[in-house]
Amino acid sequence: MDNNILLEIKNVSKSFGTTQALKDISIQIRPGMIHSFLGRNGAGKSTIVNIIAGVYPQTTGEVFFEGKNIKNLNIFNRQELGIRLVPQHENSFVNLTVAENIFVGLLPKTKRGLVDWKAMNEIAKKELVDYGLDMDPTEMVRNLSSIDARKLNIIRAMHGGAKLIILDEPTTALTNRERDELFVFIRKLKEEGTAFIFISHYLGEVKELSEEITVLRDGGMYPVENPKAVTEDYLSSLVAGEEVQLIKRRYKTEYEDKDKLFECKHLTGVGLNDVSLDIYRGEILGIVGFPGSGAREMCRTLFGINKLVKGEILYVGKKLPIKSPKDAIRNGVAYISFDRHREGLTPQFTVNYNIGMSILHSKLKRPFGFINLKKEREVSEKYKEMLKIKCNSIDDPIGSLSGGNQQKVVVSRSLGSDPKLLILDEPTIGIDIKSREEIILAINDMTRSGMSVIYLTNDYEELLRVADRLIFFKDARIVARVDNKDLSIDRITEIRDQVKGEK
Amino acid sequence: MEAKKIKTKRNILNICMNNVVWILLVVSILIMGVFKSSFYSFGILSNILVQGTVLGMLAVAVSMVILLGDINLSTVGTAGFSALIGVMMMKKGLPIPLAIIVIPSVGGLVGLVNGLIVTKLKANALIETLAMNMVLQGSLLAVTNGNTISQLPDSYKYVSQGKIGIFPVLPIVLFVIFIIFYFIWNKTIFGRSLFAVGGNEHSAYIAGINIKAIKIGAFVISGLLSGLAGYLLSAYMGAVTSSFGKSYEMQCIAAAVVGGVSLTGGKGSILGVLGGTLLLTVIQVGLAILGIPSTMITLAGGLMIFVAVIIDASRSMYQAGK
């Protein structure tokens, strides 16, 4: 075997139940190489990464690291070998200092067995300088900017002796300028011999940064020959594939006053400062904003999760008393959370019970507090058909479904209450392409019958396909409103970064 | 063909795993019968049902809160305290039917206090109900001064001691309660919401379920049932003692868990709770009949519950690993 191969993946496949998540993947990575995985949500990027890091085992195939089969090593053994995963969500300990974060797990000790704080801060300072970072090691991590927190995560990995660092979508909450800064940092480490696996669904940055690209689609592998020479169009067709027809919405262009359904006036609350906004019948209103910008906060305030301190929500001129999700649903507002497992699913329930949850007090109500079980099944069957939910029967436990089909159940639960306004918060995160398009199609159809939609996502390609108008959030306020006309992904990031107030 | 065989095999295993409590019940009844054939007499079997009634009601009471993923350690304290209040009011001249109504009402009130403290003040249910139990049992001890209140009127004791022909009345109460709770758990909005909140509180909240109301409701019903159990036990013993119902304290939790009510919440069946109740009662009564010295009964009973819990735990592991 070639001694110069750091990581070798040989014919790896993975299935979850009946779903095949990865099919026969073979990849080689050398030291000092940046290798990118490119693909849509649900294409298999996270799966392959989790297999490399040892989060779960492959079904078939082998993974070698420095020529050694690492099949029987768990995630911690692999970390010791030098495989470090830097997850998408920041996993720093925000209430510890920078130095403590770097040293966590291996704090230096004094002779008496106590933590040697002085030595720790000194070594940390030196490492930070070595990597070109101007940070105070005694600073609390929660006070760091998101770019510094990302870099700190990488330094943490380096400190642990990383030879291969896996960066799972490290750029999602960064402006273009911060992204460039991160890339400079990554390249510097690469020159010193560290290998990177870089994961992203933005074509441009992948092409810019990587020396090798593997496109993943539906669990299959499509290596890109000579990545510097290929065009973005070529990559994009490789990513999209031909099998799935992408839904493209016919945009709504006419806005008449009589179609104005919801008026939000001066909404003020946690992370939301004097936001006013009208929502028209049958429109899909796209929302752009970084975490903490007020985008998600508005969604959650409209649905009664976050408290509305000031301002009011009107429906055709009438004030809506929304103090809880229960009130919101009763008043025709539904919400689908970005966190399917925490706020979407009830794991002990069947598909049928999950779908029925939001309508127990309305459609399914019978005298003396009984549930109309027959009606419940009818509703579930209806949505099973409408959203093409794949299961043997609606009595299957929800856990036996794939992620995409679970999300369809969550969507069904919300649609079941016949909302006039549906708020979608990252509705397609972590699901396969086919399910995603089926969900988008169903929602698009519902807007024809008058339902309005608020659509918050970080996938701007998706947003461009579905949104009629876009609203940009920054610092708890709306800072730009744009019709979806002649927009591109680059234009969106441009407006977004502009309004973020970069000098 | 082969796959089909494996599938049927797995289905059979599944059915066994899900009904493990009933299998254990049959096995233990068979074993008892082998050692002592008189175990199968009508007297002893109906005695098991009588003995099981109070335990069964307390098991349902505690299950109401376990389904939420919480625990209620104050069921026995509530039972004793409620019975004490009712009996004292009766002795002071309150008509018997009213006294019988007062007892579960006091229980419900205790449950309401528990529920309010746990939901509104976000207190930890384990510690809160533990404290409540000590307060209630302490009050019972303080008021009775360690003495027993007895000489209760016959009509008060009828439900627990009376017979229709040769059939004791008490098991009828047990079955009526289980049937009512079968409907509540499986067919009502409240029951479904209860399982939803226990299964995933956040998801239930987003789905528009008023989780605080459901939790308070569960605690109130738990208290109500505890009070009712207190009435039945006081009527059965014909007295309120200062250590009222102590032996049921942990048994009712064991009965629920052995019956398949998951301590993490959101999972359980009323039939399972009935099975768990009967299993524990058979073990208790059976060991006494087999002539095991009374000093050994707690030990032997504990070991048998151990076996049941280990079987239950391996069932969970088996299902998780599937």
Side-chain angles (χ1 to χ4, degrees):
Chain A
M1 185 181 292
D2 188 343
N3 281 332
N4 211 11
I5 292 173
L6 186 64
L7 178 84
E8 180 168 28
I9 300 166
K10 246 186 175 170
N11 308 106
V12 163
S13 297
K14 174 77 187 174
S15 32
F16 295 102
T18 54
T19 329
Q20 181 141 29
L22 286 179
K23 297 168 209 157
D24 198 22
I25 306 288
S26 298
I27 293 167
Q28 295 182 340
I29 293 171
R30 289 158 207 279
M33 191 67 89
I34 301 177
H35 188 117
S36 287
F37 289 158
L38 191 61
R40 290 253 165 78
N41 282 344
K45 293 175 306 205
S46 303
T47 314
I48 184 74
V49 161
N50 283 329
I51 287 173
I52 297 170
V55 177
Y56 41 67
Q58 63 269 28
T59 312
T60 58
E62 311 288 347
V63 181
F64 297 93
F65 190 73
E66 295 182 317
K68 205 174 120 210
N69 192 334
I70 54 172
K71 188 170 193 163
N72 295 321
L73 301 184
N74 65 24
I75 185 163
F76 302 108
N77 302 143
R78 294 184 193 202
Q79 277 183 9
E80 280 164 26
L81 276 185
I83 303 177
R84 300 288 288 222
L85 172 63
V86 179
Q88 190 170 358
H89 306 287
E90 285 156 30
N91 68 337
S92 311
F93 301 92
V94 292
N95 285 326
L96 297 182
T97 67
V98 168
E100 283 166 331
N101 263 281
I102 295 175
F103 279 89
V104 75
L106 357 114
L107 297 171
K109 285 182 187 145
T110 63
K111 272 178 244 154
R112 288 185 196 155
L114 300 175
V115 175
D116 190 344
W117 299 106
K118 208 176 142 210
M120 182 182 81
N121 285 332
E122 272 167 18
I123 303 170
K125 181 78 203 169
K126 192 176 163 296
E127 283 191 25
L128 288 169
V129 171
D130 282 353
Y131 293 123
L133 249 74
D134 182 26
M135 256 187 247
D136 179 0
T138 58
E139 179 72 56
M140 286 291 178
V141 166
R142 84 175 104 83
N143 298 331
L144 295 183
S145 65
S146 49
I147 170 76
D148 281 348
R150 297 281 154 116
K151 287 183 183 168
L152 178 63
N153 271 336
I154 296 173
I155 289 178
R156 223 169 95 187
M158 292 302 295
H159 179 82
K163 294 171 186 156
L164 172 67
I165 296 181
I166 305 166
L167 299 169
D168 191 358
E169 304 205 10
T171 60
T172 29
L174 301 183
T175 66
N176 290 344
R177 184 182 147 153
E178 288 169 334
R179 193 183 70 186
D180 294 342
E181 205 180 307
L182 181 71
F183 285 1
V184 170
F185 183 63
I186 292 174
R187 285 206 187 92
K188 187 163 171 271
L189 294 177
K190 164 201 131 68
E191 294 303 328
E192 289 159 18
T194 311
F196 284 89
I197 291 177
F198 178 75
I199 292 174
S200 171
H201 50 228
Y202 299 120
L203 300 172
E205 61 183 41
V206 165
K207 196 161 170 295
E208 184 192 332
L209 186 68
S210 23
E211 287 140 295
E212 290 176 343
I213 301 176
T214 300
V215 171
L216 291 168
R217 190 206 315 146
D218 288 340
M221 180 187 78
Y222 303 84
V224 178
E225 308 277 342
N226 198 2
K228 290 287 172 206
V230 298
T231 62
E232 277 190 33
D233 279 349
Y234 170 77
L235 283 178
S236 128
S237 67
L238 207 55
V239 168
E242 289 99 341
E243 303 95 325
V244 180
Q245 174 84 42
L246 295 186
I247 310 300
K248 186 138 188 340
R249 176 176 161 86
R250 216 171 54 209
Y251 304 125
K252 182 184 172 78
T253 46
E254 286 171 23
Y255 291 93
E256 291 173 40
D257 263 0
K258 71 173 169 55
D259 278 348
K260 197 191 280 180
L261 285 192
F262 288 87
E263 290 169 80
C264 306
K265 289 186 174 165
H266 310 294
L267 302 183
T268 303
V270 183
L272 207 57
N273 189 359
D274 194 17
V275 167
S276 295
L277 164 76
D278 296 333
I279 301 159
Y280 291 82
R281 184 192 304 276
E283 78 164 327
I284 298 184
L285 179 62
I287 307 276
V288 179
F290 285 121
S293 63
R296 174 159 296 149
E297 287 76 5
M298 188 197 62
C299 294
R300 292 175 83 85
T301 307
L302 278 180
F303 190 62
I305 304 169
N306 292 359
K307 207 175 147 202
L308 188 61
V309 178
K310 237 171 64 193
E312 52 186 11
I313 303 160
L314 304 177
Y315 175 69
V316 280
K318 213 176 89 235
K319 192 178 170 189
L320 293 183
I322 295 179
K323 291 204 173 67
S324 68
K326 191 185 162 103
D327 294 340
I329 291 169
R330 197 186 300 149
N331 285 296
V333 180
Y335 171 75
I336 293 170
S337 167
F338 61 99
D339 192 338
R340 178 166 72 243
H341 292 282
R342 187 178 149 92
E343 299 188 330
L345 300 171
T346 300
Q348 286 88 343
F349 277 0
T350 60
V351 170
N352 182 33
Y353 283 13
N354 267 288
I355 294 178
M357 274 171 77
S358 281
I359 46 174
L360 293 173
H361 285 282
S362 49
K363 277 188 203 168
L364 304 185
K365 193 171 179 172
R366 275 177 51 197
F368 306 109
F370 281 92
I371 302 172
N372 189 338
L373 297 168
K374 203 176 136 219
K375 182 78 190 280
E376 185 180 39
R377 298 189 72 85
E378 283 170 18
V379 171
S380 297
E381 292 288 359
K382 177 183 144 194
Y383 286 104
K384 179 185 173 219
E385 195 170 322
M386 180 174 152
L387 283 152
K388 302 193 177 67
I389 299 173
K390 272 204 209 77
C391 54
N392 295 327
S393 100
I394 55 171
D395 297 318
D396 284 1
I398 188 77
S400 69
L401 274 60
S402 73
N405 284 295
Q406 288 179 349
Q407 184 71 346
K408 289 181 192 171
V409 171
V410 177
V411 172
S412 304
R413 184 178 89 178
S414 287
L415 289 179
S417 63
D418 297 332
K420 297 187 271 275
L421 172 64
L422 177 64
I423 303 167
L424 299 167
D425 187 349
E426 296 283 3
T428 59
I429 208 159
I431 68 175
D432 62 286
I433 300 170
K434 193 143 177 283
S435 302
R436 181 181 74 174
E437 296 307 317
E438 279 160 353
I439 288 172
I440 292 177
L441 181 67
I443 289 165
N444 191 34
D445 285 348
M446 294 290 285
T447 59
R448 297 232 179 80
S449 51
M451 183 180 79
S452 309
V453 174
I454 288 180
Y455 205 111
L456 169 62
T457 179
N458 267 318
D459 188 334
Y460 301 142
E461 181 268 341
E462 191 176 305
L463 206 55
L464 281 174
R465 283 195 285 131
V466 300
D468 301 317
R469 304 189 278 153
L470 294 182
I471 288 186
F472 292 75
F473 274 85
K474 187 217 163 190
D475 289 344
R477 291 171 186 274
I478 294 176
V479 285
R481 298 165 201 255
V482 187
D483 283 338
N484 187 359
K485 219 164 65 188
D486 311 321
L487 282 180
S488 63
I489 294 178
D490 287 341
R491 181 69 192 132
I492 291 181
T493 53
E494 219 175 284
I495 300 173
R496 178 198 70 185
D497 292 353
Q498 252 171 28
V499 303
K500 208 182 173 195
E502 285 210 327
K503 284 132 222 157
Chain B
M1 194 63 202
E2 193 65 17
K4 206 173 170 190
K5 237 182 196 168
I6 292 171
K7 211 175 169 194
T8 15
K9 214 171 165 186
R10 183 171 280 181
N11 277 341
I12 292 170
L13 197 61
N14 252 341
I15 293 167
C16 293
M17 283 292 190
N18 286 327
N19 296 292
V20 69
V21 62
W22 291 101
I23 295 168
L24 285 174
L25 181 62
V26 171
V27 169
S28 48
I29 290 175
L30 287 176
I31 292 175
M32 297 294 176
V34 169
F35 286 105
K36 197 112 185 174
S37 53
S38 66
F39 191 79
Y40 295 137
S41 70
F42 175 79
I44 288 177
L45 290 180
S46 71
N47 184 262
I48 285 172
L49 290 178
V50 169
Q51 300 266 340
T53 302
V54 172
L55 178 62
M57 297 189 57
L58 289 172
V60 178
V62 78
S63 296
M64 288 299 294
V65 180
I66 296 180
L67 281 177
L68 290 174
D70 274 333
I71 189 79
N72 183 1
L73 296 179
S74 67
T75 50
V76 168
T78 308
F81 183 76
S82 312
L84 172 75
I85 300 286
V87 166
M88 277 180 19
M89 287 173 86
M90 188 171 68
K91 295 250 170 185
K92 289 250 159 66
L94 188 75
I96 293 167
L98 283 183
I100 294 173
I101 293 171
V102 161
I103 295 173
S105 310
V106 172
L109 218 59
V110 172
L112 181 65
V113 174
N114 280 336
L116 287 173
I117 295 176
V118 168
T119 55
K120 301 280 177 187
L121 300 180
K122 296 193 163 59
N124 178 289
L126 178 85
I127 299 299
E128 193 279 330
T129 55
L130 181 68
M132 180 60 87
N133 198 46
M134 286 170 76
V135 167
L136 295 174
Q137 289 188 335
S139 310
L140 178 64
L141 191 62
V143 171
T144 58
N145 216 351
N147 298 319
T148 297
I149 303 176
S150 55
Q151 288 169 335
L152 304 178
D154 282 346
S155 53
Y156 179 86
K157 294 187 285 195
Y158 173 75
V159 176
S160 289
Q161 297 186 359
K163 282 184 177 175
I164 301 173
I166 53 164
F167 291 101
V169 178
L170 201 50
I172 298 174
V173 180
L174 177 73
F175 289 116
V176 168
I177 291 289
F178 272 87
I179 289 168
I180 290 174
F181 275 83
Y182 172 79
F183 280 102
I184 293 180
W185 284 16
N186 295 299
K187 311 270 181 195
T188 67
I189 296 171
F190 173 74
R192 182 72 66 78
S193 307
L194 184 69
F195 280 80
V197 172
N200 180 355
E201 192 175 319
H202 303 286
S203 155
Y205 176 67
I206 297 291
I209 290 170
N210 187 342
I211 50 176
K212 281 189 180 163
I214 298 296
K215 283 187 173 184
I216 293 172
F219 271 102
V220 169
I221 292 177
S222 183
L224 211 99
L225 273 174
S226 305
L228 201 55
Y231 159 64
L232 294 175
L233 184 59
S234 67
Y236 182 71
M237 299 193 305
V240 175
T241 63
S242 56
S243 63
F244 193 84
K246 279 260 183 181
S247 63
Y248 292 108
E249 217 150 47
M250 288 298 138
Q251 269 194 40
C252 61
I253 298 172
V257 174
V258 168
V261 180
S262 161
L263 283 168
T264 51
K267 240 179 180 174
S269 81
I270 196 74
L271 210 62
V273 179
L274 181 65
T277 302
L278 293 178
L279 177 63
L280 260 60
T281 314
V282 164
I283 292 170
Q284 290 286 315
V285 173
L287 291 178
I289 289 170
L290 290 181
I292 306 259
S294 62
T295 47
M296 300 275 286
I297 281 191
T298 306
L299 176 64
L303 288 176
M304 293 201 66
I305 295 173
F306 237 119
V307 171
V309 168
I310 286 168
I311 290 175
D312 178 68
S314 48
R315 170 184 60 187
S316 309
M317 275 173 68
Y318 163 78
Q319 280 169 347
K322 202 168 44 173

